[in-house]
Amino acid sequence: MKENKTIAYVGGANLHQGVKSLDWNLDYARFRIWLTEKYNVDIAYLFIGLIPKYKDLYTYLQKAGFTLVFKEVVYDGNGKAKGNCDADLIVQAMKDSYEEKTVKSILVSSDGDYTQLVKFWQNRGQIQVILSPAPPKKCSILLKRTEIKIVYLDDKKNVLGYKNEKTPDGDEHRKGPFRSEH
């Protein structure tokens, strides 16, 4: 008998950039608890570029309950890391669907590149909700056209943000892939 679960597929860069653009810090531990309590999420995959200097962040995210799926990063001409995880997220989601590992799926992204995946889930009756890190005007119109319920995380800032804007290590100005740079 196969396990049927609710699985959240989190585009790490999209989540980070979306919240960062709204000028608040997401408490990832609180977010993971919220996913469980609000949407009965059993597994929360977080797709993220692998940069060794952020190993402490990865440990924190794992302790918070995320299953990290790493992507090797490459660097552009300016030394900026790029770890596009879209294909990895889609492949994992399709695999889980075809192997009947999921009953309901949640997408955490505002990226229209996931529209076909959302439509696939929609046809199979597997999509529960889209959680958009971006505000309504910046969430892809392609995702909106699917008519799947979209919850905007900025509306949940009071529940999901750091109460005092400090990171887990107490540093208000920690820099990294999941911290606002002030």
Side-chain angles (χ1 to χ4, degrees):
M1 182 173 193
K2 297 184 189 239
E3 290 186 61
N4 292 315
K5 303 178 187 254
T6 299
I7 301 177
Y9 299 87
V10 182
N14 190 268
L15 176 57
H16 169 63
Q17 292 300 323
V19 171
K20 181 180 172 181
S21 74
L22 297 168
D23 202 31
W24 60 279
N25 289 316
L26 178 67
D27 182 333
Y28 281 80
R30 186 174 287 137
F31 179 54
R32 181 62 183 95
I33 292 166
W34 182 76
L35 286 171
T36 300
E37 292 177 352
K38 179 79 175 165
Y39 296 106
N40 299 311
V41 170
D42 298 295
I43 299 171
Y45 289 118
L46 191 126
F47 296 82
I48 186 170
L50 179 60
I51 301 173
K53 70 180 181 180
Y54 295 126
K55 66 180 169 62
D56 291 342
L57 172 64
Y58 304 145
T59 299
Y60 162 72
L61 292 169
Q62 288 173 321
K63 285 181 180 177
F66 289 94
T67 300
L68 303 185
V69 180
F70 293 108
K71 173 78 174 196
E72 184 178 355
V73 299
V74 294
Y75 295 89
D76 67 15
N78 298 320
K80 183 178 177 186
K82 291 288 292 174
N84 190 337
C85 297
D86 293 1
D88 298 51
L89 187 154
I90 291 167
V91 168
Q92 183 68 54
M94 300 290 281
K95 180 178 179 249
D96 290 345
S97 182
Y98 279 119
E99 292 177 0
E100 298 178 6
K101 291 183 179 176
T102 181
V103 172
K104 290 293 179 186
S105 299
I106 295 170
L107 176 66
V108 183
S109 181
S110 307
D111 190 338
D113 289 346
Y114 295 117
T115 303
Q116 292 305 313
L117 175 62
V118 169
K119 288 179 180 180
F120 169 80
W121 282 332
Q122 193 173 27
N123 289 336
R124 294 176 67 94
Q126 292 178 321
I127 181 79
Q128 186 171 352
V129 66
I130 297 168
L131 302 176
S132 173
K137 65 183 177 188
K138 294 207 174 174
C139 181
S140 172
I141 187 69
L142 299 173
L143 289 176
K144 292 176 186 174
R145 287 179 182 162
T146 65
E147 298 184 4
I148 296 298
K149 179 181 178 181
I150 299 175
V151 172
Y152 296 95
L153 293 181
D154 197 41
D155 295 341
K156 307 296 179 193
K157 176 167 59 174
N158 293 342
V159 174
L160 302 176
Y162 280 102
K163 297 300 180 197
N164 59 5
E165 285 301 308
K166 288 188 179 180
T167 61
D169 61 6
D171 183 356
E172 291 182 85
H173 303 289
R174 179 176 167 192
K175 293 182 180 182
F178 290 119
R179 302 289 175 249
S180 294
E181 296 180 346
H182 297 279

